[in-house]
Amino acid sequence: MKNINKDIAVTYLITGKRMTLIATIGVLIGMSLYIFMNSMLVGFDRISNDTIFKNSPQIRIFKDDAISQPLYQEEGVQNIIINPKIVPASDAIDNPNEIINLIQKEDFVTTISPQITTTVFYNIGKLQVPGTVTGVNPEQANQMFNIKSNIVEGDFENMNNNINAIALGRGIAKNLSLSIGDNINITSSKGVSRNLKVVAIFKTNNTILDKTKSYINLNAAQQLLLQGNTYITDINVSIKDPEKATIQGQLLSKITGYKAESWLEANESIMAAFKMRRLVITFVSLTILIVAGFGIYNILNMTVSQKINDIAILKAIGFKGKDVISIFLTQALTVGFIGIVGGILLASLFIAILQTVYIGGDIGYFPIGFEVQKFIQGIIIGGLITFLAGYLPAKKAAQVDPISIFRK
Amino acid sequence: MKILEVENINKYFYDPIRFKVLEDISFSVEKGKLMSMIGKSGSGKSTLLYILSTMDTDYQGKLWIDQELVTGKKNDALAEIRNNKIGFVFQFHYLLQEFSCLKNIMIPALKLGIASKEAIEDKAMKIMEILDIKEQALKPANKLSGGQQQRVAIARALINDPAIIMCDEPTGNLDSKNTAIILDIFKNLTKEMKQTIITVTHDESFALQSDEVIELKDGHLI
């Protein structure tokens, strides 16, 4: 009984070769573009995040500015500070080692890097160039920000345990005509001057950073600020799943009592741009798939109109409504199945080719991969659309009243 | 044996206005008879045939086919009855153009799904031999002449050994030579195979040669 329905469906597909082919190609293209565009989106997001993580920590723990409060508070008495200001306290984190130990106990944390950032002058003779130095533990900082991948001259390894070493941005090195092995004098805001030796030069994707930023050892930074070896202004934390940074940041904030800001909050405007990109690509790829669905719908509708006499006689000789639905749905699903399989193959081909295209710069090879999740998503959505596009005309066919056809 | 019986059939059309097409129709058909329904166009004879065929369920009254009350049954059950017990021949042949004649004849039996495909094919070939269209078996349906196509349609109606064959103007689209052939076939079927045939026609000579004639006028039997 099933067989005769299938038999009729297949015969219709074969005799209507051209229409079948057009519908199949429609699904194939829609499907391949959907998978391709969404895989590309995943690649873009990954490379964007990688770029962000080179410059900003996933979670940054620091002492937030506090507004001055009345010292003495009593119920029923309203204390007013007419002109409240930021409390001029130190921005250091108290007892940083204890806090680092606390954070380390959380199992979602992967890397911790304490840091001091301070403004300095780079001096060459009478020339003074303003900038910022970042005091870090070189090994931990490299683990977190992959600084080594940005090094263009020298070796970041030489920073380890060398309190007199400095890694300079390429812009500063160029402006002050410094190269590896040269000495540079820096002056801190506390008036402390130090001579440091250039051991590495780095280049980020941000020229302004390259003109101002340099790395020194944590201890050297503490000395520049006339502080002891427990003075830390920021604790940077990397976590296993960066997408959870906001929630896990709040948790760290509760544990430590300091403000913990996630990269998502710190880069809000960039995140908004990413969101836009995601929306546009998702919308466009879905639209293409839906248009392919309309292709099936349209062609099947035409078939139903053309075969209306066949449908009438089939119903007269004992085919039930569900048999008629099965005949036309089989056609849609066959077209959909071939289209989806072809689309997967074509998308795989696109991805395989693009993976070998070299873009250069920070990106390197075109950022696209075989995203299994996107393939599955495409199959499900494609299958659903085909089903709907087939079911609606099939339903219409099942409702054909044979008498109205025979009476004509 | 009464193979078909109707009792007090009433039917209305509602579009464009309420209008009584059939009024208190009661009659029965004996097994192995060729019965013609005649009447002017608009007399309600086709409407009556569609009610008898179970395709039209919007009527009052009762209909028995092969001793079984079919009035009030669900659409799917009616489809099964049509598949099993009724064969159809229309004015236009309504063959599936994409299929060979043989396949067209086999479809109702394949749908019934009782016999094997080989057995059905054998049976279809035998029927085609009787109807003298065996040579056309593997040709696509649209390559045949009108008379041949109508004979294929009759073969399709016969494949499930139906209790009744119902025809709506089976010769309406044929010349006198082919009309004679079809009439011959029908007479043979009733005489030799005890096949019951009910046909709507307005061909006088055709009606005169059938076993029974009922005439409708303005929705009444006369």
Side-chain angles (χ1 to χ4, degrees), chain B residues 61-116:
Chain B
K62 281 176 180 163
L63 165 66
W64 287 267
I65 291 176
D66 205 10
Q67 322 276 331
E68 187 186 357
L69 180 68
V70 298
T71 305
K73 282 190 189 287
K74 292 262 165 56
N75 277 336
D76 280 3
L78 292 175
E80 269 165 29
I81 289 173
R82 287 199 296 275
N83 188 217
N84 213 347
K85 297 198 170 160
I86 305 176
F88 288 100
V89 179
F90 299 97
Q91 178 174 8
F92 305 101
H93 49 79
Y94 287 109
L95 298 174
L96 273 59
Q97 304 296 323
E98 284 82 4
F99 294 84
S100 69
C101 295
L102 180 63
K103 195 70 181 260
N104 264 292
I105 296 168
M106 288 167 69
I107 283 175
L110 291 171
K111 170 69 194 143
L112 190 61
I114 292 174
S116 72

Side-chain angles (χ1 to χ4, degrees), chain A residues 1 4-5 7-9 11-12 15 307 309-310 312-323 401-403 405-408, chain B residues 13 46-47 50 55-56 76-77 79-80 82-83 88 90 92-99 103 107-108 110-111 113 117 156 168:
Chain A
M1 194 177 95
I4 184 65
N5 294 346
D7 205 351
I8 294 172
T11 309
Y12 282 168
T15 50
K307 306 287 182 202
N309 287 348
D310 291 13
I313 189 66
L314 286 173
K315 288 190 88 172
I317 62 181
F319 282 68
K320 296 169 190 162
K322 60 181 183 226
D323 294 318
D401 176 15
I403 300 171
I405 308 299
F406 296 139
R407 275 193 178 282
K408 274 177 203 159
Chain B
F13 279 161
S46 287
T47 306
Y50 290 127
M55 283 192 277
D56 189 349
D76 280 3
E80 269 165 29
R82 287 199 296 275
N83 188 217
F88 288 100
F90 299 97
F92 305 101
H93 49 79
Y94 287 109
L95 298 174
L96 273 59
Q97 304 296 323
E98 284 82 4
F99 294 84
K103 195 70 181 260
I107 283 175
L110 291 171
K111 170 69 194 143
K117 201 177 169 188
R156 180 179 63 191
D168 189 3

Side-chain angles (χ1 to χ4, degrees), chain B residues 116-140:
Chain B
S116 72
K117 201 177 169 188
E118 290 70 30
I120 294 169
E121 204 170 310
D122 276 355
K123 192 172 175 190
M125 291 306 283
K126 271 187 197 128
I127 296 172
M128 291 178 93
E129 201 169 354
I130 296 169
L131 299 183
D132 197 22
I133 41 172
K134 202 179 171 187
E135 294 73 36
Q136 325 296 338
L138 297 176
K139 287 188 191 168

Side-chain angles (χ1 to χ4, degrees), chain B residues 131-132 147 151 154 171 174-188:
Chain B
L131 299 183
D132 197 22
R151 274 181 275 166
I154 294 170
T171 58
L174 299 178
D175 57 23
S176 53
K177 191 182 142 217
N178 275 306
T179 305
I181 295 173
I182 301 292
L183 188 57
D184 243 26
I185 291 169
F186 281 1
K187 281 160 95 178
N188 282 334

Side-chain angles (χ1 to χ4, degrees), chain A residues 39-54:
Chain A
S39 295
M40 194 165 71
L41 181 62
V42 172
F44 281 177
D45 274 355
R46 190 172 299 143
I47 204 110
S48 307
N49 286 359
D50 284 353
T51 314
I52 289 178
F53 295 150
K54 273 188 178 177

Side-chain angles (χ1 to χ4, degrees), chain A residues 72-93:
Chain A
Y72 176 76
Q73 277 176 327
E74 194 184 346
E75 254 181 73
V77 178
Q78 197 164 16
N79 291 294
I80 296 170
I81 298 179
I82 299 293
N83 193 6
K85 287 192 176 69
I86 293 170
V87 181
S90 154
D91 55 0
I93 292 173

Side-chain angles (χ1 to χ4, degrees), chain A residues 91-121:
Chain A
D91 55 0
I93 292 173
D94 296 325
N95 205 356
N97 292 334
E98 189 55 38
I99 284 175
I100 288 172
N101 281 339
L102 263 176
I103 298 168
Q104 230 151 16
K105 279 181 195 145
E106 296 300 326
D107 53 2
F108 57 81
V109 172
T110 54
T111 320
I112 301 169
S113 171
Q115 177 180 308
I116 300 167
T117 306
T118 183
T119 52
V120 292
F121 286 112

